[in-house]
Amino acid sequence: MEDLIRRYAQLIIQSQLKLRPGDSVSINTEAAIMGFARYLAKEATMVTGQTVTIVETNHGKVIEAIPIEPEQQEIFRPPVQAVVMCHLFDLDASPYLQDLDLGKAVEDVGLLARFGHLSEPVFLDRRIAVAWANVPYPGNQWAANVLGRNASEEETWLLFGALFRLDSDWASSFWDEQANLLEYRKQRLNALGRVDIKLIGDGWECRGSSADDTQWAGGRQMLKNGRIFSPMLPMQSIHVALDATSTQGTLRSSRPFYVLGKEVIGATFTIRDGKVTHFEAEQGKEALAAFFSIDEGAARVAELSLADNDTIESRYLGRSVHAHFAKEMTTTLVLGGFSLDTLKTQQTEDDIVQSKLNQSLVRLEIPVGDDHLSVVLTKKDGEELEVVTEGVHRN
């Protein structure tokens, strides 16, 4: 297990944040995983030669800032070049399955955040200008929810290590190659311009259109200064915002997913003019109803996320128990708020309205990918391009 922890820290440093000499790193964490935060900070100082600051928080409130000093004396340290941010979070801090009053749960913003349902706030004048990463830390409760049984610490780290490819010292190379693959897919799809999108599953079909003046996003990001970084791992998906009024048809969830602490199984949806007008579920229908009651946009289609259905993530994550992994395990249709990284030139609220982007306080990923899924794009000139066949992206 110690070796996996060492490799995980190096993966964050080398592949996610791509730390350089002179980087000033800030690590935000809660007390439960302070041990790993200190270890990561010490490893980071060996690369940056600069002080790394650990910011301990409790439910979002800052408790204290802890400086971790490098071995070099201050006179020998490189000058500060850039600010880098890292948010560590404990996967066991998620409430997972809960027996809650759903009526009260939908009114508690803090609880919605813990469930991973909150959308990104739409701040158009505040784009990220620093490299950053959201970094999960595994726990037995998370593993038990994924595996459907109690899990030992060793089993937890074996599962987590498989998802992050920590079985060798080549994990950074693997994720760098994966970033290149996703970059190629984004460039290829963005070159098509605005497209109509048809999803065909086993006994269902729905259609929609990408939103005006938006782009396929996901995977690796680049700052204006050319610096690249990966906001999250694992990364398998790319996503596009949909015209909030365009989606029509039916769909069926391909695997269980969690809503407000309830497991939803066998969900089906009818969508008209971009909004869910009817839904059923073998289990968890009351949770879906509560979610859709939060605001008008909660039941409206916001996004399509494409991820292959033959990956380790798809095989190991049989159910979507944590929002961090939801889009990476298979193709999903997203309800609620859109992702800001899909924007291109929008500067005002009027621009958002004109692009027909869906805004909601919350969002929900509905898994639809399986071995039967096909995704067909139609360009303005009528040319069709099948980008997903039998659940797998056609590169």
Side-chain angles (χ1 to χ4, degrees), residues 89 91 94 96 115-118 136 142 146 163-164 232-239 253-259 303-309 311 313-335 339 363-370:
F89 61 95
L91 287 171
S94 174
Y96 295 106
F115 282 126
H117 289 322
L118 287 188
W142 163 76
V146 173
L163 294 174
F164 285 80
M232 63 174 287
L233 292 177
M235 55 177 171
Q236 296 291 348
S237 67
I238 57 174
H239 52 271
S253 62
S254 57
R255 60 183 72 195
F257 58 101
Y258 282 16
V259 181
E303 210 168 86
L304 172 67
S305 176
L306 300 182
D308 287 343
N309 199 55
T311 62
E313 290 81 4
S314 183
R315 293 192 293 272
Y316 279 47
L317 300 175
R319 51 170 61 87
S320 175
V321 302
H322 197 285
H324 181 81
F325 301 99
K327 292 200 303 182
E328 311 312 313
M329 62 181 187
T330 193
T331 291
T332 61
L333 196 69
V334 183
L335 305 178
S339 298
R363 60 183 276 133
L364 178 66
E365 287 81 14
I366 308 295
V368 297
D370 58 18

Side-chain angles (χ1 to χ4, degrees), residues 50-338:
Q50 277 292 339
T51 302
V52 174
T53 303
I54 299 175
V55 180
E56 182 186 348
T57 63
N58 185 2
H59 299 294
K61 296 181 179 179
V62 175
I63 305 301
E64 66 174 325
I66 306 168
I68 306 297
E69 302 292 342
E71 294 180 356
Q72 300 100 312
Q73 296 181 13
E74 190 166 353
I75 193 173
F76 297 116
R77 298 177 189 177
V80 174
Q81 300 291 336
V83 175
V84 178
M85 301 177 67
C86 179
H87 174 220
L88 298 185
F89 61 95
D90 183 2
L91 287 171
D92 273 3
S94 174
Y96 295 106
L97 293 174
Q98 295 285 309
D99 185 17
L100 298 171
D101 182 330
L102 291 171
K104 293 180 179 179
V106 298
E107 297 175 353
D108 187 336
V109 174
L111 191 55
L112 291 174
R114 290 181 64 202
F115 282 126
H117 289 322
L118 287 188
S119 298
E120 296 177 79
V122 183
F123 295 137
L124 298 176
D125 59 346
R126 220 166 64 184
R127 306 293 171 90
I128 289 293
V130 301
W132 59 277
N134 282 322
V135 178
Y137 191 82
N140 295 2
Q141 183 185 355
W142 163 76
N145 276 273
V146 173
L147 298 173
R149 57 177 174 79
N150 290 333
S152 66
E153 192 170 16
E154 181 180 2
E155 288 177 310
T156 296
W157 270 97
L158 286 174
L159 170 62
F160 191 78
L163 294 174
F164 285 80
R165 315 310 196 267
L166 301 177
D167 53 352
S168 76
D169 285 327
W170 297 102
S172 292
S173 297
F174 173 86
W175 290 115
D176 286 345
E177 291 176 5
Q178 179 66 11
N180 290 335
L181 172 62
L182 295 183
E183 197 65 29
Y184 167 76
R185 289 178 177 175
K186 286 190 296 184
Q187 291 178 3
R188 183 165 174 251
L189 295 180
N190 282 327
L192 302 177
R194 189 172 189 268
V195 291
D196 293 328
I197 303 171
K198 179 169 64 175
L199 286 79
I200 306 170
D202 185 11
W204 60 266
E205 179 178 319
C206 69
R207 302 167 180 260
S209 300
S210 58
D212 283 333
D213 205 21
T214 58
Q215 62 188 352
W216 290 85
R220 184 170 60 199
Q221 291 192 16
M222 179 183 293
L223 301 177
K224 287 185 178 180
N225 63 10
R227 178 162 184 163
I228 59 175
F229 64 99
S230 297
M232 63 174 287
L233 292 177
M235 55 177 171
Q236 296 291 348
S237 67
I238 57 174
H239 52 271
V240 67
L242 299 182
D243 178 324
T245 65
S246 66
T247 306
Q248 314 280 348
T250 61
L251 64 91
R252 180 183 300 116
S253 62
S254 57
R255 60 183 72 195
F257 58 101
Y258 282 16
V259 181
L260 297 169
K262 310 293 184 184
E263 187 170 37
V264 178
I265 299 175
T268 58
F269 304 86
T270 300
I271 303 172
R272 294 288 180 266
D273 300 325
K275 189 172 184 178
V276 174
T277 58
H278 181 77
F279 61 95
E280 297 288 344
E282 297 170 18
Q283 178 180 314
K285 183 178 178 180
E286 71 283 358
L288 285 170
F291 181 86
F292 292 152
S293 74
I294 293 174
D295 60 32
E296 194 278 336
R300 191 170 287 281
V301 177
E303 210 168 86
L304 172 67
S305 176
L306 300 182
D308 287 343
N309 199 55
D310 66 342
T311 62
I312 287 177
E313 290 81 4
S314 183
R315 293 192 293 272
Y316 279 47
L317 300 175
R319 51 170 61 87
S320 175
V321 302
H322 197 285
H324 181 81
F325 301 99
K327 292 200 303 182
E328 311 312 313
M329 62 181 187
T330 193
T331 291
T332 61
L333 196 69
V334 183
L335 305 178
F338 71 95

